Amino acid sequence: MLKDNINNAKTVEELQELYTATFGKNGTMTAKLKEMKNLEMDARAQLNRENTELRELFKTRQAELENAALNAKLAGEYIDVTLDAEPKNRGTIHPTTQSFKEAVAIFESMGYTLMTGPEIEDDWHNFTALNMPAYHPARDMQDTFFLPNGNVMRTQTSAVQIRAMEKQGAPIKMFSVGQCYRKELDATHSAMFDQIEGLYVDKVEKKITLSDLLGTMRTFASKFFGREMELRIRPSYFPFTEPSIEIDMKWGDRWMELLCGGMVHPNVLKNCGIDPNEYQGFAFGFGWSRLVMMKYGLNDIRAFTDGDVRWLKNSGF
Ligand code: DAH
């Protein structure tokens, strides 16, 4: 019986076949309907009812089958949102980058402008202009990587002071962050290490002194370490500053070196075309990697460049 067949159709395709067999060009109902004009009134009405009824039945079954197909599809694609997500590895910012960012924010808040210089330097910027002419014994303090053309891997960011003064003249208040290179390697020395350099030169009348340097560093240290730090100064020697000092910081029950600095040597100003009778100021340089190690309790400077992801994840940042 057609009605049962319609209701028992298992798929939309099966139903479609039945429909064609019924209402298609050569369908059973199509044939009957063609003959309608020859029928009695009652029989016509009967055929019409049958026609409507069958069409309704097809429509209903079609909707049922489509619905079932959709439900089956949805059941197959079901996502269990209560399941744990697959763990994703998130990157971490390298301690050097992170601490540089912090330092940049602090120095900029004190009116210093960030400037940069190349890591491959010429002899002039890395040594000579910094009051270290070729014969100067202080060159031996830094184990230098020389390139075949006489250039060097910069041994100190002090080279950027020179570039900054050559470019901008005075007054100038700048700082620089970056990598330096020396032929040394042990737990506290890395062939590539980080430094931060600063320079503040202004008119002699402004009377910039060593105590301004100390005050600046007190502010810096308390901002960077997040608490008031106790500092002390010791006399030192650098060819490019006179007088030269080192500033230590109380760390637990020990004194640790925080930075080096001093009043910019008149020869350095002259080398950059600045009149030392008109201008004076201070410069400073941090062994930055060491400072970051202190802040985060790291004990091997080589880890900064080893690229060990486990260390990066656990370095305190
Ligand atoms: N360039 C020095 C070094 O690498 C550090 C330094 C000392 C920088 C004194 C300065 C300074 O600007 O005034 O050992």
Side-chain angles (χ1 to χ4, degrees), residues 142 156 158 161 182 195 197 238 240-241 260-262 283-285:
Q142 304 178 354
Q156 45 188 353
S158 303
Q161 281 185 35
R182 290 182 203 175
Q195 284 195 341
E197 187 83 15
F238 300 99
F240 31 91
T241 43
C260 309
F284 57 86

Side-chain angles (χ1 to χ4, degrees), residues 82-95:
T82 64
L83 278 180
D84 282 343
E86 237 179 79
K88 288 265 179 288
N89 278 331
R90 292 188 64 194
T92 42
I93 295 179
H94 193 283

Side-chain angles (χ1 to χ4, degrees), residues 130 141-142 155-159 161 180 182 193 195-199 213 237-238 240-241 244-245 259-264 282-287:
L130 285 160
M141 290 161 65
Q142 304 178 354
T155 59
Q156 45 188 353
T157 43
S158 303
Q161 281 185 35
C180 300
R182 290 182 203 175
F193 56 97
Q195 284 195 341
I196 291 189
E197 187 83 15
L199 176 76
L213 173 58
Y237 172 77
F238 300 99
F240 31 91
T241 43
S244 302
I245 58 168
L259 77 148
C260 309
M263 299 304 290
V264 180
F282 60 71
F284 57 86
F286 289 90

Side-chain angles (χ1 to χ4, degrees), residues 110-153:
M110 294 196 279
Y112 288 81
T113 303
L114 181 63
M115 295 179 87
T116 55
E119 288 177 28
I120 294 176
E121 263 302 0
D122 52 36
D123 185 276
W124 169 255
H125 291 95
N126 197 80
F127 292 124
T128 306
L130 285 160
N131 203 27
M132 296 164 89
Y135 57 80
H136 203 289
R139 286 192 176 211
D140 289 345
M141 290 161 65
Q142 304 178 354
D143 262 336
T144 309
F145 287 112
F146 289 95
L147 300 178
N149 65 1
N151 282 346
V152 298
M153 297 306 292

Side-chain angles (χ1 to χ4, degrees), residues 153-265:
M153 297 306 292
R154 76 173 171 204
T155 59
Q156 45 188 353
T157 43
S158 303
V160 189
Q161 281 185 35
I162 303 300
R163 290 190 176 272
M165 285 190 280
E166 283 176 344
K167 191 171 167 200
Q168 190 182 312
I172 187 165
K173 197 172 182 185
M174 58 72 64
F175 73 112
S176 191
V177 307
Q179 271 79 48
C180 300
Y181 302 83
R182 290 182 203 175
K183 271 189 270 178
E184 28 191 57
L185 192 65
D186 59 39
T188 53
H189 294 92
S190 167
M192 181 174 98
F193 56 97
D194 309 312
Q195 284 195 341
I196 291 189
E197 187 83 15
L199 176 76
Y200 176 30
V201 171
D202 211 328
K203 288 272 185 195
V204 170
E205 302 87 84
K206 291 239 175 146
K207 293 195 168 59
I208 300 172
T209 65
L210 274 185
S211 36
D212 296 315
L213 173 58
L214 194 60
T216 304
M217 289 312 138
R218 191 159 276 137
T219 307
F220 172 82
S222 62
K223 285 191 180 188
F224 184 68
F225 288 98
R227 60 180 194 273
E228 212 59 44
M229 300 305 289
E230 197 184 331
L231 305 186
R232 73 172 186 189
I233 61 174
R234 279 181 292 115
S236 188
Y237 172 77
F238 300 99
F240 31 91
T241 43
E242 182 57 38
S244 302
I245 58 168
E246 285 179 38
I247 302 183
D248 296 336
M249 178 175 68
K250 194 76 177 279
W251 191 253
D253 52 6
R254 293 171 64 193
W255 287 100
M256 307 285 280
E257 182 193 310
L258 177 65
L259 77 148
C260 309
M263 299 304 290
V264 180
H265 197 290

